[in-house]
Amino acid sequence: MKYFPVVIIGGGVAGLNAARLLHRAGVDFALFEARDRLGGRVLSANQEGEPAEKGFDLGASWFWPRTQLPLRDLVNELGLETFPQYSEGDVIFHRMSRELPRRFSVAHDQPEPEALRLAGGNYALISALAATLPLSSVHCHTRLSRVERDGQRVISTLTQKDGSAFQVASSHLILALPPRLIAAHIAFSPSPDPRTLQRWKKTPTWMAPHAKFFAVYPRPFWREAGLSGSAQSMAGPLVEIHDATTSSGEAALMGFIGMPAAQRKKVGQQAIMSASTEQLKRLFGEQASAPLQVFIKDWADDPFTSTSEDEIGSGPIEAGCGDWFDSEWRHVISLAGSEFSQTEPGFLSGAVASSLHAVTAMLSKRQS
């Protein structure tokens, strides 16, 4: 059985940033990710909707540098290029199908852009974080199924893509996963107390209930008409729409589909894409009726993101407070991820903040 001072489970922003901080501090680690890729809920795609190093953001899309300081500082430290989320021009509001959409002018008097995006897409953040790590320490296609306490050590049972299982030992374990996934897929010995398990199950998973629709166009024609590409609709099927044009000029509109996961499955993606295209035509005019390509990313279909509890939708994620673990485990396991953040839960900045908090606290204990 191999031993590592620290084992990290999850190769999203939180897990990768935790690994970066440990590596910088000279602490050996091993990171295991269940997917065949790194990034978690950060995923970029090309015009066909296929995963790509650069392109449209299927998960998180932008951040607010004036308020989301942990993410802003990380982006600056990694030297990543940013560009403003396009917001110039009027916005559209559609209250109900029996009424015509209405156009509203918005004052733009901010000296700096409110929201920024990463050039090439948010996967640039994943690539930059991964580049700071030794390749031999990062392992995909490997999921955690069981955790056991063995004195001062943690024994983790992991399963590879071919079904073979193996164990690793560590002095500390960082679970960089949403709490619902921890509760649903990982067995603990000894088991956490019922109140802890219930809290995990009740905490919504960021992005899990949502689906994004993308319509790709030859050019961002809405800008020529003085529109920002932003729209709110109570008529649907899209409830919130934004300009998703990339830094390289690939033009697109993106919208959140306003129906629960179960209803999306019943209606079918083809029907949703057709209805969404018709909606864009109503909101933005005839040119919106002929996109080059349309595609959907439904996060509820991702077993490494969503559980059955997420399919019915969720409310806002509350900021983490108090203990997420009982006394049996809290000294050898840290929880990192957007949902566990004491600030900005449900955002990328929360994932950065929680990983920083987890590693800082762990290193402080090691030094004391």
Side-chain angles (χ1 to χ4, degrees):
M1 184 188 305
K2 289 186 177 180
Y3 168 81
F4 303 95
V6 181
V7 165
I8 302 169
I9 304 298
V13 170
L16 290 172
N17 192 51
R20 179 186 71 94
L21 295 170
L22 289 171
H23 184 57
R24 188 172 68 182
V27 178
D28 290 334
F29 69 92
L31 184 151
F32 298 98
E33 164 59 45
R35 294 177 172 88
D36 60 359
R37 62 171 179 84
L38 298 174
R41 289 164 282 180
V42 173
L43 179 61
S44 297
N46 59 23
Q47 290 196 15
E48 285 70 46
E50 299 297 328
E53 288 286 321
K54 297 181 179 180
F56 303 107
D57 287 313
L58 304 186
S61 298
W62 54 78
F63 69 99
W64 292 266
R66 292 192 296 173
T67 57
Q68 296 184 326
L69 305 187
L71 181 55
R72 182 202 66 185
D73 293 344
L74 179 60
V75 166
N76 290 339
E77 183 178 345
L78 295 172
L80 298 177
E81 181 184 352
T82 62
F83 70 105
Q85 164 63 21
Y86 191 81
S87 60
E88 297 295 322
D90 296 347
V91 300
I92 295 174
F93 176 70
H94 193 194
R95 190 174 70 160
M96 60 180 64
S97 59
R98 295 180 181 273
E99 297 180 358
L100 293 175
R102 301 179 64 185
R103 178 170 174 165
F104 295 89
S105 297
V106 179
H108 295 280
D109 54 0
Q110 297 291 342
E112 297 180 358
E114 291 280 355
L116 294 178
R117 291 164 58 188
L118 295 184
N122 273 341
Y123 203 78
L125 176 60
I126 302 303
S127 297
L129 288 170
T132 68
L133 308 176
L135 291 176
S136 60
S137 298
V138 179
H139 313 272
C140 291
H141 292 294
T142 310
R143 63 179 181 85
L144 177 66
S145 58
R146 183 175 176 82
V147 177
E148 302 172 57
R149 185 78 184 268
D150 181 19
Q152 298 302 310
R153 300 194 311 168
V154 179
I155 308 300
S156 299
T157 301
L158 299 129
T159 304
Q160 297 177 305
K161 186 178 181 181
D162 62 4
S164 61
F166 66 97
Q167 291 184 319
V168 296
S170 62
S171 296
H172 203 89
L173 180 67
I174 297 178
L175 296 178
L177 302 171
R180 277 183 176 169
L181 288 182
I182 295 173
H185 299 302
I186 302 174
F188 291 84
S189 179
S191 177
D193 65 75
R195 185 168 54 181
T196 295
L197 292 171
Q198 191 65 18
R199 184 178 185 186
W200 292 351
K201 291 178 181 179
K202 285 187 175 181
T203 302
T205 300
W206 165 59
M207 287 304 299
H210 301 300
K212 280 185 167 186
F213 166 82
F214 289 80
V216 182
Y217 296 97
R219 69 183 195 283
F221 60 85
W222 51 93
R223 298 182 183 182
E224 300 165 7
L227 293 169
S228 64
S230 296
Q232 298 284 332
S233 173
M234 298 172 68
L238 306 178
V239 294
E240 181 181 333
I241 300 165
H242 298 281
D243 185 318
T245 304
T246 68
S247 59
S248 60
E250 294 175 297
L253 291 169
M254 177 277 293
F256 287 94
I257 301 169
M259 58 180 72
Q263 186 179 359
R264 295 196 298 267
K265 290 179 181 178
K266 183 177 181 180
V267 174
Q269 288 197 0
Q270 202 60 47
I272 293 173
M273 290 190 292
S274 178
S276 297
T277 303
E278 283 297 312
Q279 180 185 8
L280 294 182
K281 177 183 175 181
R282 292 193 299 271
L283 298 178
F284 296 99
E286 187 65 34
Q287 292 180 88
S289 66
L292 299 174
Q293 187 76 19
V294 294
F295 57 88
I296 288 174
K297 171 57 180 177
D298 195 329
W299 287 96
D301 292 337
D302 186 337
F304 299 118
T305 298
S306 181
T307 67
S308 58
E309 287 90 349
D310 296 304
E311 292 188 359
I312 59 174
S314 63
I317 301 173
E318 297 180 0
C321 58
D323 294 323
W324 285 92
F325 245 133
D326 55 42
S327 58
E328 184 71 31
W329 287 105
R330 70 171 66 118
H331 299 298
V332 291
I333 293 183
S334 297
L335 299 172
S338 182
E339 290 79 9
F340 296 112
S341 178
Q342 297 179 16
T343 60
E344 303 287 347
F347 293 93
L348 279 185
S349 191
V352 176
S354 69
S355 57
L356 177 60
H357 175 77
V359 172
T360 300
M362 189 198 73
L363 294 178
S364 178
K365 289 179 182 178
R366 287 169 61 96
Q367 294 169 358
S368 61

